[in-house]
Amino acid sequence: MKTKLLIAGGLVPLASIIAATASARPWGPPPPPPPAEEVVVEFFTDYDTDESNTLTQQELATALQGMREKRMEQRAERPGKGLNNDRKGRGPIGPEDLAARLIEDFDADEDAVLDSEELLNALSAMGRKHRGGPGRGDCPLDNSDDAAEQ
């Protein structure tokens, strides 16, 4: 009888340890990306160096690089989920080129910078393209390599 109680008593703490370990696995699904509105606030708070309430191409490129580095750190924390190195020489668009394309495609008032509304439109379009949601295929960020594969 005492043996059964000791075994049963030992299983409860063991079960709680297993459950806690399972819920803390770093290789689970990645956290969802932050809403585009939060990214816009972060970009302007952290990267609008001249406090003009617009992002120049250089400020935007720096912000995109910062965002990319943050995502790479998150991926590095997840075992087995590093970079996909089998892209045969292709890779993501560099931050400088992406900044130029975003300004070219989303600068509605053609002042060569992005304000918060224009940046929100750009990030929303990027999110739709990445998730394959509405607007996929007509996003100005589609590059020729991706278009050829579709």
Side-chain angles (χ1 to χ4, degrees):
M1 177 81 169
K2 287 183 180 181
T3 307
K4 288 181 184 178
L5 288 176
L6 288 176
I7 292 173
L11 290 179
V12 173
L14 181 61
S16 63
I17 291 170
I18 292 171
T21 304
S23 66
R25 286 188 284 182
W27 56 85
E37 293 83 2
E38 286 182 23
V39 176
V40 169
V41 170
E42 179 182 340
F43 276 23
F44 278 93
T45 302
D46 296 345
Y47 300 102
D48 182 18
T49 56
D50 61 0
E51 299 180 358
S52 62
N53 292 322
T54 60
L55 293 177
T56 65
Q57 184 174 335
Q58 183 56 47
E59 290 170 333
L60 184 56
T62 303
L64 292 167
Q65 181 62 35
M67 183 172 72
R68 181 172 286 170
E69 289 170 2
K70 188 184 294 186
R71 289 192 57 179
M72 296 311 297
E73 288 173 10
Q74 290 172 344
R75 285 184 179 180
E77 294 170 1
R78 298 176 57 227
K81 300 292 182 185
L83 289 173
N84 181 0
N85 292 324
D86 62 349
R87 293 187 47 90
K88 299 180 180 139
R90 291 189 343 233
I93 299 171
E96 295 83 11
D97 293 336
L98 182 55
R101 288 177 74 173
L102 290 174
I103 289 174
E104 180 182 328
D105 293 336
F106 292 97
D107 180 20
D109 55 6
E110 298 182 357
D111 58 354
V113 294
L114 292 184
D115 61 32
S116 59
E117 184 177 337
E118 293 165 337
L119 180 60
L120 180 60
N121 291 336
L123 294 176
S124 296
M126 288 173 64
R128 285 192 305 268
K129 179 186 183 310
H130 180 69
R131 290 187 307 272
R136 182 163 173 83
D138 63 353
C139 177
L141 300 176
D142 285 335
N143 63 30
S144 58
D145 290 339
D146 289 342
E149 291 174 4
Q150 294 179 353

